[in-house]
Amino acid sequence: MGIIVQKFGGTSVGTVERILNVANRVIQEKENGNQLVVVVSAMGKSTDQLVGLAGQITERPSKREMDMLLTTGEQVTISLLAMALQEKGHDAISFTGWQAGIQTEARHGNARITNINPDAIKKELCAGKIVIVAGFQGFSDVQQITTLGRGGSDTTAVALAAALNADKCDIYTDVTGVYTTDPRYVKGARKLEAISYDEMLELANLGAGVLHPRAVEFAKNYSIPLEVRSSMENERGTIIEEETNMEQNLVVRGIAFEDQVTRVSVLGLRNELTTLSTIFSTLAKQGLNVDIIIQSTTSDNKTSISFSVKTGDLEDTISILEQHKSVLNYEKIEFESGLAKVSIVGSGMVSNPGVAAEMFEVLANEGIEIKMVSTSEIKVSTVLSAEDMVTAVDILHSAFELSKEVAKV
Amino acid sequence: MGIIVQKFGGTSVGTVERILNVANRVIQEKENGNQLVVVVSAMGKSTDQLVGLAGQITERPSKREMDMLLTTGEQVTISLLAMALQEKGHDAISFTGWQAGIQTEARHGNARITNINPDAIKKELCAGKIVIVAGFQGFSDVQQITTLGRGGSDTTAVALAAALNADKCDIYTDVTGVYTTDPRYVKGARKLEAISYDEMLELANLGAGVLHPRAVEFAKNYSIPLEVRSSMENERGTIIEEETNMEQNLVVRGIAFEDQVTRVSVLGLRNELTTLSTIFSTLAKQGLNVDIIIQSTTSDNKTSISFSVKTGDLEDTISILEQHKSVLNYEKIEFESGLAKVSIVGSGMVSNPGVAAEMFEVLANEGIEIKMVSTSEIKVSTVLSAEDMVTAVDILHSAFELSKEVAKV
């Protein structure tokens, strides 16, 4: 008998009927003899409705009051799920973020968890109760209600699993697991049995969207095995765990991709030690996220810097660069929109130096031009024309034989 | 400059438009140079919607989980009102019950406030902020979210006024004040300028419905002047304060009435010291509220007891009496439904012994039969046929000259 943390997202608890369904899933695990902590999000559309109410009052609501408003969403779900479990004959109790002892930084809208005091939860678990906890929310040391930002309920679940020394953390969602690539685009996409934290991080950062990166980081740091699985179908999902536990024979484990990418080039910069840091700290201060960065030096001791941004951030990026032209001291800015990023991810790359070369070759053979490249130990990213994106993913998926079932080790 | 507590009920904050209107009322008082604490209820129908969600899950939700669910209603309103005030350029901050330091008994659904720690509110007031507090809710010493039961937001407002040593507490509602009687039934009904706590208590208990009795009691105990006024119209309401501050020349200040009254008679009881207490403690244990009680002793040393109950409680009352027949040891039960209660209320009665007699005479002259009578120092209640109720109120209103404006003292 161990402690299991389960997390159900907004779609899984979107209606009363689904909440009753979630109750059944919870009871099933409870009847396997486990102690259960269940983290839930706000019901489906309720967050949008609350945001809509605020929008009728002001275009720029204070973050503190938005936290106050939005945290009611999960509070509704926890009470309804507790009622559903009680109605089905099981002892259950619901906790808001502050009742569950989830302490965060004293900032609103995107606070990080700083500490969890699990005493209240442990007490109820020992009393045989199923404990339901509101995801996404916490409280600061000055007794303010805070929220954890996007994907916050995942983080709540993993952090609770760490604080409770849980045996595992199951993330129930509207997909059945983590796939080699997006099955909506690639017919041969296959559900993975297992994937490492690092691979999942790379896939999550690249837009796979199943699990929030912060939650994966947390799970990695505390070695909490995660399972991503469907709240609707009763089948096994994908385990996310330490690399050492896993089959090693796959060099590439997944392919991530996203469009709406723009390349920005800042040309004719003076080649000074501080040039790079000045540009990117200026952008970071304005909250702009830059992805792939390439620097090239020309013969006249000038340097050029290219980087990719989300197309939606292009306007702000250009405007900030122009505002700081006197400090940055560049000649001109160019940009190219309509691009996409395609990345192959796999822990096996570390010991397989030819993987990047193979990727470039596969793309070249198809006549696909690579505009930017970035590599890490377990990932190779390429920027290419958005028109080529799906084709590129498709041929890479075949080339690295991702559709094939792999024998268990 | 003083502290004013304002309370706005569910109808007054029922839509975003009304919340913006409330913000204007708050700002008006703030600009008069006062420090403001604003207590709000859940938006109009939102409590019903939440109850409806629970009802889809279970017919008998736990009180603890209902408290968890329902308290989200006020939390939504406080954040929206804070946003509205901020949008209009005023510094405001919202507090849930626990943030506002409202401690209650550790019971759910109907907890009493045990203590208020106003430090957090005072700090924000000193910083020049308008403080918005969620009505109806508190927290127990074991960190549970509790609610105060019906009329709870009124109680929150008055209790905060007491804890903050406020100058006054304004209860904004959907009526313009306290009337001599219900203006929907009696054409000459007149808004009172002032009324004493005790009179208001008698009127509230008798169904005037403007203010919750517990809130009036609280105000009386801490000598907090209340004003009941309209959130829609900008006119003075009715002040509720100590009798000593008021005009004394009205003997009767108001007439309360309610129908759906049933008289139950328990006949042929043994005339023992414990008979009365046994019957009414048995009923009280089952949560049944008994109103007027009359005992009469017959010649054979037997006794009969009649009491009035709400017609909706009749079935339960009879059933409990029958269950306990062996202990109570009575001969038979009779009841008469279709009755109403009409009461005259006024502090002046204490020094005017003829008031009750005058009431009986007025009713007798109209041919109205009085079936039960009960008197207190400031109230005379009569039970009569429901058919006679409106006529009785009308003629009493005239007989005691309640339509007349009274000169200010």
Side-chain angles (χ1 to χ4, degrees):
Chain A
M1 169 160 146
I3 297 178
I4 294 182
V5 176
Q6 299 183 317
K7 181 255 169 179
F8 293 90
T11 313
S12 307
V13 294
T15 62
V16 164
E17 199 184 359
R18 287 187 181 175
I19 289 173
L20 291 166
N21 179 46
V22 164
N24 291 336
R25 299 300 290 258
V26 173
I27 289 167
Q28 194 178 316
E29 203 70 85
K30 169 82 178 166
E31 288 179 343
N32 289 338
N34 295 295
Q35 292 188 320
L36 275 189
V37 175
V38 186
V39 174
V40 288
S41 302
M43 288 173 75
K45 302 267 150 77
S46 82
T47 304
D48 290 346
Q49 285 165 0
L50 293 169
V51 170
L53 279 175
Q56 289 176 54
I57 286 176
T58 174
E59 283 177 10
R60 39 196 165 84
S62 90
K63 285 186 178 174
R64 181 192 184 278
E65 299 302 335
M66 278 309 280
D67 281 358
M68 181 67 85
L69 181 65
L70 295 182
T71 49
T72 62
E74 295 84 33
Q75 194 172 327
V76 168
T77 320
I78 56 172
S79 57
L80 294 179
L81 180 56
M83 288 177 198
L85 289 164
Q86 289 164 354
E87 175 68 16
K88 291 172 187 284
H90 288 261
D91 218 355
I93 186 166
S94 67
F95 282 148
T96 62
W98 63 270
Q99 289 177 322
I102 298 170
Q103 291 167 26
T104 73
E105 298 169 325
R107 62 186 285 194
H108 291 286
N110 196 20
R112 282 175 177 269
I113 294 175
T114 51
N115 185 41
I116 292 186
N117 177 346
D119 293 350
I121 293 177
K122 280 181 179 167
K123 195 180 145 207
E124 301 297 342
L125 287 178
C126 287
K129 292 186 192 168
I130 298 167
V131 178
I132 321 292
V133 178
F136 176 68
Q137 58 182 252
F139 71 111
S140 73
D141 52 0
V142 285
Q143 304 290 299
Q144 301 294 302
I145 295 173
T146 54
T147 61
L148 309 181
R150 284 195 58 189
S153 291
D154 290 345
T155 310
T156 302
V158 177
L160 279 174
L164 292 163
N165 201 11
D167 295 86
K168 67 187 288 222
C169 179
D170 291 343
I171 308 287
Y172 287 85
T173 177
D174 48 0
V175 298
T176 53
V178 181
Y179 279 71
T180 51
T181 193
D182 190 331
R184 288 171 301 183
Y185 293 86
V186 178
K187 218 178 148 190
R190 182 175 60 83
K191 186 168 77 183
L192 289 160
E193 228 169 78
I195 186 172
S196 75
Y197 297 120
D198 287 336
E199 288 170 331
M200 188 65 207
L201 272 174
E202 293 291 4
L203 287 171
N205 274 322
L206 294 168
V210 177
L211 251 179
H212 197 269
R214 206 190 283 177
V216 180
E217 267 180 56
F218 226 110
K220 183 186 171 186
N221 290 341
Y222 292 90
S223 299
I224 307 289
L226 302 179
E227 182 172 348
V228 172
R229 54 192 300 184
S230 164
S231 61
M232 312 293 170
E233 317 288 327
N234 206 352
E235 60 181 69
R236 286 202 56 180
T238 300
I239 306 276
I240 303 156
E241 59 188 349
E242 291 293 355
E243 181 67 27
T244 47
N245 304 329
M246 294 168 41
E247 25 162 352
Q248 291 281 354
N249 42 352
L250 264 185
V251 174
V252 174
R253 205 163 261 132
I255 300 177
F257 55 93
E258 59 181 304
D259 56 4
Q260 298 293 320
V261 171
T262 290
R263 183 186 59 179
V264 177
S265 299
V266 186
L267 307 174
L269 289 151
R270 258 189 265 166
N271 194 6
E272 289 166 4
L273 273 176
T274 55
T275 304
L276 260 180
S277 66
T278 308
I279 286 195
F280 294 109
S281 68
T282 304
L283 292 171
K285 269 179 208 154
Q286 308 294 322
L288 288 169
N289 238 336
V290 162
D291 191 3
I292 298 178
I293 297 171
I294 292 169
Q295 184 175 22
S296 57
T297 308
T298 48
S299 55
D300 52 355
N301 203 29
K302 293 260 172 169
T303 187
S304 295
I305 291 172
S306 295
F307 53 85
S308 65
V309 295
K310 285 189 182 144
T311 301
D313 286 342
L314 176 63
E315 209 174 307
D316 284 349
T317 304
I318 300 286
S319 141
I320 288 164
L321 290 174
E322 283 175 352
Q323 277 167 43
H324 295 81
K325 182 161 187 183
S326 59
V327 182
L328 299 174
N329 206 356
Y330 56 82
E331 279 165 16
K332 64 172 177 170
I333 302 172
E334 289 177 356
F335 64 86
E336 180 180 10
S337 294
L339 303 179
K341 187 166 66 162
V342 173
S343 308
I344 56 174
V345 173
S347 313
M349 288 184 199
V350 183
S351 47
N352 286 272
V355 177
E358 188 176 349
M359 181 185 191
F360 304 152
E361 196 184 333
V362 168
L363 293 175
N365 287 347
E366 194 69 21
I368 294 175
E369 183 194 359
I370 298 172
K371 293 166 188 279
M372 296 173 90
V373 168
S374 157
T375 60
S376 80
E377 293 203 330
I378 64 166
K379 177 186 74 166
V380 181
S381 294
T382 57
V383 171
L384 32 79
S385 168
E387 285 170 14
D388 294 329
M389 180 178 77
V390 175
T391 312
V393 174
D394 213 17
I395 57 169
L396 289 167
H397 200 267
S398 301
F400 289 106
E401 300 188 328
L402 290 178
S403 307
K404 280 195 191 161
E405 285 292 339
V406 182
K408 279 189 206 173
V409 181
Chain B
M1 170 158 146
I3 297 177
I4 294 182
V5 176
Q6 298 183 316
K7 180 255 169 177
F8 293 89
T11 314
S12 307
V13 294
T15 63
V16 165
E17 199 185 359
R18 286 187 182 175
I19 289 174
L20 291 166
N21 179 47
V22 164
N24 291 337
R25 300 300 291 258
V26 173
I27 289 168
Q28 194 177 319
E29 202 70 85
K30 168 82 176 166
E31 287 179 344
N32 288 338
N34 295 295
Q35 293 188 320
L36 275 189
V37 176
V38 186
V39 175
V40 288
S41 304
M43 289 173 74
K45 303 267 150 76
S46 80
T47 304
D48 290 346
Q49 285 164 1
L50 293 169
V51 170
L53 280 176
Q56 289 176 55
I57 287 176
T58 172
E59 283 178 8
R60 41 197 164 83
S62 90
K63 286 185 178 174
R64 181 192 184 278
E65 299 303 334
M66 277 309 279
D67 281 356
M68 181 66 85
L69 181 65
L70 294 182
T71 50
T72 62
E74 295 83 34
Q75 193 172 327
V76 168
T77 320
I78 57 173
S79 58
L80 294 178
L81 180 56
M83 287 177 198
L85 288 165
Q86 289 164 354
E87 175 69 14
K88 289 170 188 286
H90 287 262
D91 218 356
I93 186 167
S94 67
F95 281 149
T96 62
W98 62 271
Q99 288 176 323
I102 298 170
Q103 292 166 26
T104 73
E105 300 169 324
R107 62 185 286 193
H108 291 285
N110 196 20
R112 280 173 179 270
I113 294 175
T114 52
N115 185 40
I116 292 187
N117 178 346
D119 293 349
I121 293 178
K122 279 182 179 168
K123 194 180 146 208
E124 300 297 342
L125 288 177
C126 286
K129 292 186 191 168
I130 298 167
V131 179
I132 321 292
V133 178
F136 176 70
Q137 58 181 251
F139 71 111
S140 73
D141 52 359
V142 285
Q143 304 291 302
Q144 300 294 303
I145 295 174
T146 54
T147 62
L148 310 179
R150 284 195 58 189
S153 291
D154 290 344
T155 310
T156 302
V158 177
L160 280 174
L164 292 162
N165 203 11
D167 294 87
K168 66 185 290 221
C169 178
D170 292 342
I171 308 287
Y172 287 84
T173 175
D174 49 0
V175 298
T176 54
V178 181
Y179 280 72
T180 51
T181 193
D182 191 330
R184 288 172 299 183
Y185 293 87
V186 179
K187 216 178 147 190
R190 182 176 59 82
K191 185 168 76 184
L192 290 160
E193 225 169 80
I195 186 172
S196 74
Y197 297 120
D198 287 337
E199 289 170 331
M200 188 66 208
L201 271 176
E202 293 291 4
L203 288 171
N205 274 322
L206 294 167
V210 178
L211 252 177
H212 198 268
R214 206 190 285 177
V216 180
E217 269 180 54
F218 226 110
K220 183 186 171 186
N221 291 341
Y222 291 91
S223 299
I224 307 289
L226 302 179
E227 183 171 347
V228 172
R229 55 191 303 183
S230 164
S231 61
M232 312 293 169
E233 316 288 328
N234 205 351
E235 60 181 70
R236 286 202 55 179
T238 301
I239 307 276
I240 303 156
E241 60 189 348
E242 293 292 356
E243 181 66 28
T244 48
N245 305 330
M246 295 167 43
E247 26 163 351
Q248 291 281 350
N249 41 354
L250 266 185
V251 175
V252 174
R253 204 161 262 133
I255 301 178
F257 55 93
E258 60 181 302
D259 55 6
Q260 298 294 322
V261 172
T262 291
R263 182 187 58 182
V264 177
S265 299
V266 187
L267 307 175
L269 289 150
R270 260 189 263 163
N271 193 8
E272 290 167 3
L273 274 176
T274 54
T275 305
L276 260 179
S277 65
T278 309
I279 286 195
F280 294 109
S281 67
T282 304
L283 292 171
K285 269 178 208 154
Q286 309 294 323
L288 288 169
N289 237 336
V290 162
D291 191 6
I292 299 176
I293 296 171
I294 292 168
Q295 183 176 25
S296 57
T297 308
T298 49
S299 54
D300 52 355
N301 203 28
K302 294 260 174 172
T303 187
S304 295
I305 291 172
S306 294
F307 53 86
S308 66
V309 294
K310 287 189 181 147
T311 301
D313 286 342
L314 176 62
E315 210 174 309
D316 285 349
T317 305
I318 301 285
S319 140
I320 288 163
L321 290 173
E322 283 174 352
Q323 278 167 40
H324 295 82
K325 183 161 186 180
S326 60
V327 181
L328 299 173
N329 206 356
Y330 56 82
E331 279 164 15
K332 64 172 178 173
I333 303 172
E334 290 178 355
F335 65 87
E336 180 180 9
S337 295
L339 303 179
K341 186 166 69 163
V342 173
S343 309
I344 56 174
V345 174
S347 313
M349 287 183 200
V350 184
S351 47
N352 285 272
V355 178
E358 191 178 344
M359 181 185 192
F360 305 152
E361 197 184 329
V362 168
L363 294 175
N365 286 345
E366 195 70 20
I368 295 174
E369 184 195 0
I370 299 171
K371 293 165 188 279
M372 296 173 91
V373 169
S374 158
T375 60
S376 80
E377 293 202 331
I378 65 164
K379 178 187 75 167
V380 182
S381 295
T382 57
V383 171
L384 32 78
S385 168
E387 286 172 12
D388 294 330
M389 181 179 76
V390 175
T391 311
V393 175
D394 212 18
I395 58 169
L396 289 168
H397 200 266
S398 300
F400 290 107
E401 301 188 327
L402 290 179
S403 306
K404 281 195 191 163
E405 285 291 339
V406 182
K408 281 189 203 169
V409 181

